Amino acid sequence: MFTFTGGYAQTEKVSLNLNNASVKELFTAIEKQTPYRFSYRDVEVNGKTGISLSVKDEELKDLLTSELAKQNLSYKVSGNKIVITPIKKKSDKKQPTNYSIIFG
């Protein structure tokens, strides 16, 4: 789920040059260039690394969509906060349990 609300977020652009960076480093670099702040649970982003990119004036929404998807993360923007959540796998849904009822 990738959602931006409000017109400002649609046009926010960033320029980044990262080499084998962590997700947290990506967030810090974006926070330095934008009014946005990231909200996430450490357990969901710890150990997520390998972000290498060099972009100039790229739309924030496009950058986040592509880079977070590679890390199995999604985001939602609310005001100036970007909330990071893990992408739910389709197999995470509970399967219905079949019960047999025997009357005797």
Side-chain angles (χ1 to χ4, degrees):
M1 172 197 289
F2 302 110
T3 308
F4 263 98
T5 57
Y8 186 66
Q10 297 291 339
T11 59
E12 190 70 41
K13 295 188 182 224
V14 294
S15 296
L16 300 170
N17 189 8
L18 299 172
N19 186 25
N20 200 29
S22 69
V23 170
K24 288 182 180 183
E25 290 170 318
L26 172 67
F27 296 162
T28 300
I30 292 170
E31 287 178 342
K32 288 180 180 178
Q33 295 183 41
T34 70
Y36 295 104
R37 298 295 165 252
F38 288 86
S39 177
Y40 54 86
R41 291 179 47 206
D42 281 335
V43 70
E44 293 168 350
V45 299
N46 282 346
K48 295 196 181 273
T49 61
I51 298 174
S52 295
L53 56 91
S54 181
V55 296
K56 183 175 173 125
D57 294 328
E58 181 158 344
E59 287 193 18
L60 181 57
K61 66 182 179 84
D62 295 337
L63 176 78
L64 288 176
T65 299
S66 65
E67 293 304 316
L68 292 180
K70 294 174 190 175
Q71 302 289 335
N72 289 324
L73 297 170
S74 65
Y75 69 93
K76 182 176 181 178
V77 176
S78 178
N80 71 335
K81 184 188 285 187
I82 300 174
V83 180
I84 305 299
T85 56
I87 293 175
K88 301 267 190 236
K89 296 177 186 174
K90 291 184 180 186
S91 62
D92 285 349
K93 293 181 181 177
K94 287 188 174 182
Q95 297 296 323
T97 305
N98 293 328
Y99 292 100
S100 296
I101 299 175
I102 301 172
F103 294 97

